[in-house]
């Protein structure tokens, strides 16, 4: 004997039209500079992340990543997350997320943009490592792009 567990008139139309839910993100693997951007001996870096309609962020949210000339920053065992989000797509939607990342150097009164790039993350995709270069090619940022299907 089968037991009907659904309420009378219950509909899953909204759930059925969704094609999938994904966990997507961008993490900082390393930041290396061979140039000097300030008069003193160290430069202060931070990232501005534009994730579309709702998500705009500064990383780190307080302070900066301080590096001297020819020094590099390696994130520890767990990469420093610049952006991550649960993304839900409908069946007829293109499954891509566009994220714009800017590398900035902090100066009093003026924060010049050293490098800027828009990344396209396809859902799902294999983990991909990409390089963001500064305009003068003295600073390189290695980023990890990922997206995985999830049930959450």
């Amino acid at each position: 004997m089968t037991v009907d567990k659904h309420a009378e008139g219950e509909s899953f139309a909204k759930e059925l039209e969704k094609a999938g839910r994904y966990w997507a993100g961008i993490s900082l693997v390393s930041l290396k500079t061979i140039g000097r951007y300030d008069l003193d001996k160290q430069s202060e870096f931070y990232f501005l992340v534009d994730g579309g309609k709702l998500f705009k962020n500064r990383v780190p949210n307080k302070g900066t990543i301080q590096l001297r000339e020819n020094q590099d920053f390696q994130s520890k065992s767990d990469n420093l997350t610049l952006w991550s989000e649960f993304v839900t797509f409908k069946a007829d939607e293109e499954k891509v997320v566009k994220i714009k990342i800017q590398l900035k150097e902090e100066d009093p009164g003026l924060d010049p943009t050293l490098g800027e790039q828009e990344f396209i993350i396809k859902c799902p995709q294999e983990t991909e490592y990409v390089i963001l270069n500064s305009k003068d090619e003295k600073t390189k940022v290695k980023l990890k792009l990922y997206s995985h299907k999830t049930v959450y």
Side-chain angles (χ1 to χ4, degrees):
M1 176 170 109
T2 12
V3 178
D4 188 14
K5 295 181 181 178
H6 300 289
E8 188 174 323
E10 184 177 24
S11 171
F12 293 102
K14 285 192 174 188
E15 293 298 320
L16 292 175
E17 73 183 21
K18 294 178 185 173
R21 190 162 165 90
Y22 299 90
W23 173 251
I26 299 176
S27 297
L28 174 65
V29 177
S30 66
L31 169 64
K32 180 174 176 108
T33 184
I34 60 170
R36 197 167 71 186
Y37 295 100
D38 287 338
L39 295 175
D40 60 353
K41 294 186 179 182
Q42 64 185 12
S43 301
E44 301 86 15
F45 299 100
Y46 68 93
F47 296 92
L48 285 181
V49 183
D50 185 357
K53 301 173 191 168
L54 300 174
F55 188 88
K56 293 183 183 4
N57 194 22
R58 181 187 191 278
V59 177
N61 58 357
K62 290 183 180 178
T64 56
I65 299 170
Q66 298 179 355
L67 296 176
R68 293 177 181 261
E69 192 174 2
N70 294 322
Q71 190 177 17
D72 65 335
F73 170 81
Q74 300 283 331
S75 58
K76 298 294 180 191
S77 62
D78 194 10
N79 295 327
L80 176 65
T81 301
L82 300 181
W83 170 86
S84 64
E85 185 177 347
F86 284 108
V87 187
T88 305
F89 296 103
K90 294 182 181 175
D92 57 345
E93 275 186 305
E94 185 180 16
K95 296 178 181 75
V96 295
V97 181
K98 295 179 182 175
I99 306 297
K100 186 168 110 178
I101 295 184
Q102 296 178 347
L103 172 64
K104 293 198 164 258
E105 202 277 323
E106 188 175 73
D107 282 330
L110 176 69
D111 290 358
T113 301
L114 300 179
E116 180 177 4
Q117 190 170 345
E118 183 173 70
F119 297 100
I120 297 174
I121 300 175
K122 297 176 184 171
C123 296
Q125 79 171 25
E126 298 275 330
T127 300
E128 179 182 0
Y129 292 90
V130 294
I131 303 291
L132 168 64
N133 286 318
S134 62
K135 296 170 190 168
D136 60 3
E137 297 193 4
K138 291 183 178 178
T139 304
K140 294 183 187 295
V141 180
K142 186 175 182 181
L143 300 170
K144 178 173 98 170
L145 310 177
Y146 57 90
S147 91
H148 309 284
K149 192 164 178 81
T150 184
V151 294
Y152 297 108

